[in-house]
Amino acid sequence: MRPRSHIAAMAAAVLLSGGMSACSDGRQEPVRIVGSSTIFPFAAKTAETYAERTGVVVVVEQTGSGGGHKLFCSGHASIDATTSSRPQKPSEAALCARNGVAPVIEIRLGNDGIVLARAVGAVPMDIDPLTLYSALARELPTSGLDCTPTPNPYERWSEIDPTLPTDMITVYGPPPTSGTRDAFVETAMEAGARAFPCLAAMEKDTPNIFRSRAHDLREDGRWIDAGENDNALIRTLANAPTTLGVFGFSFLDQNTDKVRGIAMGGVLPSQETIRNKSYPVVRDLFLYLRGGSALWADRGAADYVLEFTSEEASGPGGYLEEIGLIPLSDAERAEMRQRVERAKANAGPRP
């Protein structure tokens, strides 16, 4: 199994050299994909394979999920699709509609887990959602029954749970533009917040306030935005063994020589625990394809997505599973492929 960084670099080199030749002879513009840093290695590997088979250039850019939706929905004619590690938001769909980016075809690509990890050789940890929320929320309830907010007082893991190490709480994670950040706060942090009875009641009565309390992370150096480069985050963790990182499972799967996963509620992240959803922080991965003219056969956008959803790529034992993608069920994969095939068949005429 090759390291993820090698695969991404190799794909980038293929796309760069192919892109110059394809654009210089005027035959066609390259297919252009923007979006998620989590999905970038899968999109780049698919682009490499697709280019080798067809000669069609696919340029894949790592912008983060939020940045990808913004670019995609702004109406740039050169952007065919965006990848996203969370569903498109209603505000993003509205932006697409205002800018004539329609129809938008949603494709689920596979499953993923959001993991916490630390350096190989560091003391193993098992963190439940309540402990995680208590460590990372900017403000905590005064008590289980009193939701009056108080600044988070905890500096060390052992102050929350004496069975945990005495290490300072230092967690590197994705920035606000990241779909991984969105999924992390909506799953792990909300689950921890619900463990406080007063916050659980707040979710029913004033859900917007509950989400704000659950999603608001510390700004005192205990949580650190690490940017969109997950490979750089892996290097940081390897060199700072008392720190933790938050990222997609595939980066853990490809870097087991440097980092190890942390159990959540007694369950370690693995392909099997994510597939059967016994690991508590699981999400879907998406691609949003621009319909209409972007589906022209000579442009190749739809055919690239068909490669992405093929059995050889995203099925069990496929070349994307080898680098960490967790396949959908057989029925789900067939449905996604049919969705692209229908969109391609119904594409409008070339203007």
Side-chain angles (χ1 to χ4, degrees):
M1 184 179 293
R2 291 177 291 183
R4 171 182 296 277
S5 57
H6 174 74
I7 292 171
M10 180 174 62
V14 169
L15 296 177
L16 178 60
S17 62
M20 289 188 293
S21 63
C23 293
S24 64
D25 63 14
R27 285 180 299 173
Q28 67 175 55
E29 292 295 319
V31 175
R32 186 177 173 200
I33 312 296
V34 296
S36 166
S37 60
T38 298
I39 303 174
F40 171 77
F42 307 134
K45 178 61 178 175
T46 303
E48 176 197 358
T49 304
Y50 183 64
E52 289 174 351
R53 292 176 178 173
T54 66
V56 175
V57 177
V58 181
V59 176
V60 182
E61 299 177 49
Q62 188 174 203
T63 63
S65 295
H69 283 290
K70 183 177 181 179
L71 287 168
F72 176 69
C73 290
S74 293
H76 294 285
S78 64
I79 298 176
D80 298 292
T82 186
T83 58
S84 182
S85 56
R86 45 85 172 162
Q88 187 178 64
K89 297 178 180 179
S91 59
E92 293 162 341
L95 179 62
C96 276
R98 286 198 302 273
N99 288 311
V101 181
V104 174
I105 301 119
E106 181 185 84
I107 305 298
R108 289 174 58 218
L109 299 171
N111 297 312
D112 187 32
I114 300 174
V115 304
L116 285 92
R118 64 191 324 202
V120 168
V123 177
M125 297 176 68
D126 186 343
I127 302 176
D128 61 23
L130 173 59
T131 300
L132 187 66
Y133 180 76
S134 298
L136 297 181
R138 187 170 68 87
E139 296 177 327
L140 295 173
T142 301
S143 70
L145 299 178
D146 180 358
C147 267
T148 303
T150 184
N152 194 322
Y154 297 118
E155 297 292 322
R156 299 179 183 274
W157 291 103
S158 57
E159 294 172 0
I160 304 171
D161 181 345
T163 68
L164 293 175
T166 59
D167 300 337
M168 298 292 289
I169 298 169
T170 307
V171 180
Y172 289 86
T177 55
S178 169
T180 298
R181 167 78 159 260
D182 291 337
F184 173 72
V185 295
E186 289 169 5
T187 52
M189 291 294 286
E190 285 190 8
R194 291 186 192 101
F196 287 91
C198 66
L199 286 177
M202 182 185 293
E203 183 178 20
K204 296 179 181 179
D205 299 334
T206 53
N208 289 338
I209 297 175
F210 168 81
R211 281 193 294 272
S212 176
R213 293 283 295 270
H215 295 191
D216 199 5
L217 298 172
R218 298 175 73 163
E219 298 177 342
D220 58 357
R222 301 299 102 206
W223 169 274
I224 301 168
D225 288 343
E228 296 284 2
N229 190 332
D230 290 320
N231 286 309
L233 176 53
I234 295 291
R235 292 192 293 272
T236 297
L237 298 180
N239 293 323
T242 62
T243 63
L244 277 66
V246 176
F247 43 84
F249 169 76
S250 59
F251 284 90
L252 171 65
D253 190 50
Q254 295 298 303
N255 291 280
T256 53
D257 58 328
K258 301 180 184 69
V259 292
R260 70 164 71 187
I262 289 172
M264 287 281 288
V267 181
L268 283 167
S270 69
Q271 287 210 0
E272 182 58 30
T273 60
I274 293 168
R275 184 179 290 110
N276 65 26
K277 295 183 170 54
S278 59
Y279 182 72
V281 190
V282 177
R283 60 173 172 182
D284 293 327
L285 301 178
F286 299 90
L287 181 145
Y288 291 87
L289 177 65
R290 181 176 182 164
S293 62
L295 293 174
W296 300 336
D298 63 347
R299 187 172 175 88
D303 289 331
Y304 165 76
V305 181
L306 287 173
E307 170 67 29
F308 212 141
T309 56
S310 69
E311 289 297 300
E312 184 178 356
S314 59
Y319 61 75
L320 297 181
E321 186 179 38
E322 291 180 359
I323 59 172
L325 182 70
I326 298 171
L328 300 174
S329 69
D330 293 347
E332 289 170 328
R333 287 197 312 279
E335 178 187 349
M336 294 302 107
R337 187 171 177 84
Q338 289 167 7
R339 190 173 295 181
V340 183
E341 290 171 340
R342 285 195 301 269
K344 181 180 176 182
N346 294 331
R350 185 173 186 165

